[in-house]
Amino acid sequence: MYDQLRPNPAPPAMSFEQMLERVRYEGAYPTRERAEEAVRTVLAALGRQVTGDERVGLAQCLPLTLTAQIPDTEQLTGWGFVKDLATRTGATPATARWDTGAVLAVVACLAGPDLLARILRRLPGGYALLFGQAELRQPQLAV
């Protein structure tokens, strides 16, 4: 028997080098190394939060491995994500928030609007702002 040909997944929209330059610009980082540090730490943290088909879709659009991180059993809110990142890296919450915004703005462009909307629906509140999007919630009806 012959193996069936399987289509290769589409290559990422930008190379890792291009992504670093874009993050360096977005975050106004003084060096490429500082931008790379932000990319690796934020994407590792994001890899612990995103699950399911959204995780697979996001991994396909990024020029580096997102799926190396084992997802956490408890999802963090957007602010919890920033605080956890600050704790893990030894940075201040302000620096962690800055890094998160710079990296996730580029991730949002790579993911595209449909995948980003699916990711945001699966994550707890507070992530839309981290991706540079408006946080829109459905009004809750009084019972």
Side-chain angles (χ1 to χ4, degrees), residues 34 37 41 82-96 99:
R34 179 64 185 94
E37 178 185 338
T41 58
V82 170
K83 290 191 308 186
D84 181 63
L85 186 62
T87 300
R88 288 176 187 264
T89 62
T92 65
T95 299
D99 291 349

Side-chain angles (χ1 to χ4, degrees), residues 73-136:
T73 55
E74 181 182 335
Q75 285 190 320
L76 301 171
T77 64
W79 177 235
F81 179 87
V82 170
K83 290 191 308 186
D84 181 63
L85 186 62
T87 300
R88 288 176 187 264
T89 62
T92 65
T95 299
R97 172 60 180 97
W98 183 270
D99 291 349
T100 300
V103 173
L104 294 186
V106 176
V107 169
C109 291
L110 288 171
D114 294 336
L115 178 56
L116 183 59
R118 288 186 5 237
I119 291 168
L120 291 174
R121 277 194 298 272
R122 299 268 317 238
L123 291 171
Y127 279 89
L129 294 174
L130 298 177
F131 280 96
Q133 306 292 309
E135 181 87 29
L136 301 175

